[in-house]
């Protein structure tokens, strides 16, 4: 008998029919003798629907009070889907109980809309498991030390599931979604994308941090920190497929240095459309400019990603960086009001229609020329590179958003990812 955590995403929970399917699948696992904890997302579209309602009443404001209410609101999506799943399981003849984050409790810090899990008390859940119940725990939410409901950032149910699995020392955390595993890139963008049977934790971490939305990055961080055995697989297979076959399907996240070190140099391509570029033009090129520009940005709690400073000409330089699109307007305003006059710079300009495309692979450590192949491929496609950033196992470029699909597909082919793995 094992303790297994299942997580089902929004599409998998998208209708009463699908919820019934999830219930039948979970019941199959429970009847096979496993203790089951299930972490559902809200039904697909529900989180967006709720957040849009809030924006209809008042445009987003960067206040704690506003964000607190967003969490109060968004958390209802998971509360509803969890109760529905418990009802469906009961209809299948399984004893089942659902808990909201605060009832477990899953304790988080107070950063509304992007809270971090601090601890999980598993006593209540263990008690129910011991009594033979399937326990449903809402994804995406927790409670802070003052009793306020918090949410973990978009896609946060992955993190809830892995954190619950880590806290309970589960034997495995299975992330059921609408694709049958982790692919070489998003199959919606490159139809030639292939499923990976395994992906190393390090690569998965990079891919998630560079925009592959198949897993929320914090879920991968948790899996790494607590060595949670974790697999991504499809919820769209027939619910009654053989359980042993199901348990081996999808993509396994591995923690060992991969035995298959001979695999492709580049394992995957990630992209991110959520960033925007800002340039401060004509900045006097003196020591401390990076700090004088980015200090106020950091003080405003705006995260900066790729940074580039041009060569100076006549004592002046241009300084560019990217931020999340949600922070774009605020960052421009801040720079215009505070930084531009203080620095004596010429202008602040921005471009929200950019994207970042990245190649990822632990094989890049031991191979040279990978980045230059990337640059060649993009140049052959006539795509201008606006910024570059590299680390040991990835190279990222910022390009015009309109070339995203073209770039991803061309790189996918150039790095031999279209071909089936040996
Ligand atoms: P869920 O609602 O189950 O959490 P998500 O929409 O958050 O599902 O994540 C699954 C989606 O992630 C897929 O439908 C796919 O379009 C996208 N995706 C992005 N990159 C990848 C990748 N490398 N492999 C698989 N899916 C990816
Ligand atoms: N429902 C939340 C979202 O849409 C959390 C999740 O699906 O993981 O972001
Ligand atoms: Mg998701």
């Amino acid at each position: 008998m094992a303790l297994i955590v299942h997580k089902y995403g929004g599409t998998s929970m998208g209708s009463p029919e699908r919820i019934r399917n999830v219930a039948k699948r979970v019941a199959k696992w429970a009847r096979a003798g496993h203790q089951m904890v299930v972490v559902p997302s809200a039904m697909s579209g529900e989180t967006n629907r709720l957040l849009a309602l809030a924006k209809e009443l008042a445009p987003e404001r960067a206040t704690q009070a506003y964000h607190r209410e967003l969490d109060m609101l968004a958390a209802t999506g998971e509360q509803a889907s969890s109760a529905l799943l418990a009802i469906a399981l009961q209809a299948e003849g399984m004893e089942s109980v659902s808990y909201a984050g605060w009832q477990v409790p899953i304790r988080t810090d107070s950063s509304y809309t992007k809270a971090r899990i601090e601890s999980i008390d598993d006593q209540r859940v263990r008690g129910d498991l011991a009594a033979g119940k399937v326990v449903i725990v809402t994804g995406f939410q927790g409670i802070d030390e003052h009793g306020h409901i918090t949410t973990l950032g978009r896609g946060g149910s992955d993190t809830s599931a892995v954190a619950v699995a880590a806290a309970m020392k589960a034997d495995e955390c299975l992330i059921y979604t609408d694709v049958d595993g982790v692919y070489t890139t998003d199959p919606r963008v490159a139809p030639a994308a292939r499923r990976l049977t395994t992906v190393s934790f390090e690569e998965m971490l990079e891919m998630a941090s560079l925009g592959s939305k198949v897993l929320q990055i914090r879920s991968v961080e948790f899996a790494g920190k607590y060595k949670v055995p974790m697999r991504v697989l499809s919820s769209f297979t027939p619910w009654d497929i053989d359980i042993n076959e199901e348990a081996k399907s999808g993509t396994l996240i591995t923690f060992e240095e991969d035995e298959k070190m001979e695999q492709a140099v580049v394992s995957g391509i990630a992209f991110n459309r959520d960033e925007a570029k800002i340039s401060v033009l004509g900045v006097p090129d003196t020591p401390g400019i990076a700090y004088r520009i980015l200090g106020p940005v950091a003080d405003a709690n705006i995260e900066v990603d790729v940074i580039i400073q041009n060569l100076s000409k006549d004592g002046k330089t241009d300084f560019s960086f990217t931020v999340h699109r949600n922070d774009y307007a605020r960052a421009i305003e801040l720079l215009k009001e505070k930084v531009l006059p203080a620095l004596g710079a010429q202008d602040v300009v921005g471009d929200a229609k950019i994207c970042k495309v990245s190649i990822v692979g632990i094989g890049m450590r031991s191979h040279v020329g990978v980045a230059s192949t990337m640059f060649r491929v993009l140049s052959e496609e006539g795509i201008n590179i606006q910024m570059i950033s590299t680390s040991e196992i990835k190279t990222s470029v910022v390009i015009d958003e309109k070339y995203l699909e073209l770039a991803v597909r061309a790189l996918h082919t150039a790095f031999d990812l279209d071909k089936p793995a040996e």
Side-chain angles (χ1 to χ4, degrees):
M1 185 174 74
L3 171 57
I4 310 278
V5 175
H6 279 192
K7 180 261 171 176
Y8 291 90
T11 322
S12 313
M13 295 290 293
S15 66
E17 201 40 52
R18 290 201 175 145
I19 294 177
R20 188 173 295 126
N21 245 288
V22 169
K24 286 182 189 293
R25 190 183 297 277
V26 172
K28 173 182 77 178
W29 280 76
R31 291 197 171 106
H34 300 304
Q35 291 194 317
M36 298 300 301
V37 179
V38 186
V39 178
S41 291
M43 294 171 77
S44 56
E46 181 63 4
T47 312
N48 285 345
R49 187 185 75 85
L50 293 165
L51 296 176
L53 284 174
K55 281 194 186 144
E56 231 177 84
L57 290 170
E60 171 138 22
R61 292 169 50 223
T63 62
Q64 279 248 327
Y66 185 90
H67 283 151
R68 179 196 180 277
E69 300 313 323
L70 286 185
D71 280 2
M72 182 77 183
L73 175 70
T76 62
E78 270 70 11
Q79 189 172 327
S81 63
S82 294
L84 289 171
L85 181 56
I87 288 168
L89 274 157
Q90 290 166 8
E92 292 299 319
M94 301 299 306
E95 276 199 70
S96 177
V97 59
S98 71
Y99 292 118
W102 64 269
Q103 291 173 306
V104 174
I106 295 178
R107 298 204 180 280
T108 71
D109 64 16
S110 303
S111 321
Y112 301 118
T113 74
K114 48 183 172 196
R116 282 178 176 273
I117 295 179
E118 288 177 342
S119 66
I120 297 178
D121 182 345
D122 64 351
Q123 274 196 9
R124 195 170 192 176
V125 176
R126 280 203 192 277
D128 289 314
L129 290 175
K133 292 181 189 167
V134 172
V135 184
I136 321 286
V137 174
T138 49
F140 185 50
Q141 59 177 267
I143 186 162
D144 76 359
E145 59 175 335
H146 307 294
H148 300 296
I149 289 174
T150 55
T151 68
L152 310 179
R154 299 308 304 268
S157 298
D158 298 330
T159 303
S160 308
V162 181
V164 166
M168 301 196 68
K169 302 200 171 45
D171 295 281
E172 192 155 18
C173 182
L174 301 178
I175 307 281
Y176 286 86
T177 182
D178 56 5
V179 272
D180 61 354
V182 177
Y183 276 62
T184 45
T185 191
D186 188 341
R188 285 178 214 233
V189 166
R194 282 183 305 102
R195 179 171 62 85
L196 301 163
T197 46
T198 62
V199 62
S200 76
F201 153 74
E202 274 179 289
E203 287 170 326
M204 195 61 242
L205 198 62
E206 281 288 0
M207 281 175 66
S209 84
L210 294 167
S212 293
K213 294 204 168 116
V214 61
L215 287 176
Q216 199 201 36
I217 179 161
R218 285 195 198 149
S219 71
V220 189
E221 287 169 357
F222 260 102
K225 188 160 173 203
Y226 298 100
K227 299 283 180 291
V228 180
M230 179 177 180
R231 186 178 283 279
V232 178
L233 68 171
S234 172
S235 70
F236 289 145
T237 53
W239 69 266
D240 54 355
I241 60 167
D242 178 68
I243 196 167
N244 296 313
E245 191 187 317
E246 185 174 323
K248 282 187 269 157
S249 65
T251 302
L252 179 71
I253 317 294
T254 60
F255 298 101
E256 310 301 315
E257 271 289 299
D258 219 317
E259 322 81 65
K260 303 188 287 118
M261 275 303 268
E262 291 309 315
Q263 69 188 24
V265 181
V266 171
S267 308
I269 299 173
F271 55 84
N272 187 348
R273 306 175 203 255
D274 295 337
E275 292 188 26
K277 184 175 90 166
I278 296 176
S279 301
V280 186
L281 306 178
V283 192
D285 191 7
T286 50
I289 56 164
Y291 175 64
R292 289 175 68 194
I293 293 172
L294 297 181
V297 174
D299 291 345
N301 224 345
I302 298 173
E303 268 181 55
V304 169
D305 185 22
V306 187
I307 303 171
I308 191 170
Q309 183 182 336
N310 288 349
L311 274 182
S312 69
K313 209 174 144 210
D314 306 326
K316 302 233 170 196
T317 184
D318 300 335
F319 191 92
S320 302
F321 56 95
T322 63
V323 296
H324 196 284
R325 265 186 216 184
N326 291 346
D327 293 325
Y328 176 61
R330 208 153 59 87
I332 295 258
E333 197 182 295
L334 173 94
L335 290 165
K336 284 201 166 146
E337 277 176 15
K338 299 222 173 109
V339 177
L340 200 75
L343 267 183
Q346 270 153 14
D347 204 0
V348 176
V349 294
D351 184 357
K353 291 209 165 66
I354 53 120
C355 66
K356 188 173 74 175
V357 176
S358 311
I359 52 174
V360 177
I362 42 182
M364 286 168 75
R365 276 190 191 132
S366 46
H367 287 75
V368 290
V370 183
S372 71
T373 303
M374 180 186 203
F375 306 150
R376 175 178 54 73
V377 170
L378 295 175
S379 88
E380 281 166 6
E381 297 294 340
I383 300 171
N384 184 38
I385 300 172
Q386 302 180 18
M387 299 167 114
I388 300 171
S389 126
T390 65
S391 78
E392 215 185 7
I393 66 164
K394 70 115 205 269
T395 302
S396 304
V397 295
V398 171
I399 59 173
D400 190 324
E401 191 184 15
K402 69 174 183 256
Y403 296 124
L404 177 101
E405 276 86 3
L406 177 63
V408 170
R409 289 176 197 167
L411 292 168
H412 200 269
T413 307
F415 285 107
D416 285 339
L417 296 173
D418 294 355
K419 295 187 193 146
E422 283 101 55

